[in-house]
């Protein structure tokens, strides 16, 4: 495992220490790792929901030349903003 140092305001440091003291986590690192895992999961669920909504939504047609020029993700974002 590798190390990452972060700075927190005193109030957040006390909050993290309180969470650890509750007994659910052994160390502040365990607590932060759990928060990161939850954030990743939440983002993946959100992405899945967006993909499903897009699949069920109106068709977006993008010329291949535009995809080559801008890249697929950028072209899709631009087209979806136009709607």
């Amino acid at each position: 495992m590798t190390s990452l140092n972060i700075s927190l305001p005193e109030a957040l440091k006390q909050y993290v220490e309180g969470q650890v003291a509750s007994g659910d986590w052994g160390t502040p690192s365990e607590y932060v790792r759990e928060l990161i895992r939850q954030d990743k999961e939440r983002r993946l669920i959100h992405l899945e929901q967006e993909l499903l909504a897009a699949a069920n939504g109106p068709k977006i047609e993008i010329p291949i030349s535009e995809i080559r020029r801008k890249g697929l993700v950028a072209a899709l974002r631009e087209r979806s903003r136009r709607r």
Side-chain angles (χ1 to χ4, degrees):
M1 216 177 282
T2 187
S3 180
L4 173 69
N5 294 318
I6 60 170
S7 298
L8 296 173
E10 185 62 31
L12 286 180
K13 178 181 179 252
Q14 290 175 0
Y15 180 79
V16 170
E17 289 171 345
Q19 294 302 305
V20 172
S22 75
D24 291 334
W25 297 274
T27 66
S29 292
E30 288 177 10
Y31 178 68
V32 171
R33 282 193 296 269
E34 178 63 23
L35 292 177
I36 293 168
R37 282 189 286 273
Q38 289 175 7
D39 181 60
K40 283 178 66 176
E41 181 66 21
R42 180 185 53 82
R43 288 173 183 265
L44 286 172
I45 289 169
H46 182 71
L47 176 60
E48 181 181 26
Q49 290 170 346
E50 285 183 336
L51 289 171
L52 288 171
N56 294 325
K59 185 176 177 181
I60 298 175
E61 293 187 23
I62 303 173
I64 294 294
S65 60
E66 185 177 346
I67 293 171
R68 286 187 181 131
R69 192 172 63 253
K70 297 178 181 176
L72 179 60
V73 173
L76 285 169
R77 281 187 179 138
E78 183 178 308
R79 290 294 175 113
S80 68
R81 279 189 219 119
R82 289 183 197 170
R83 284 199 254 157

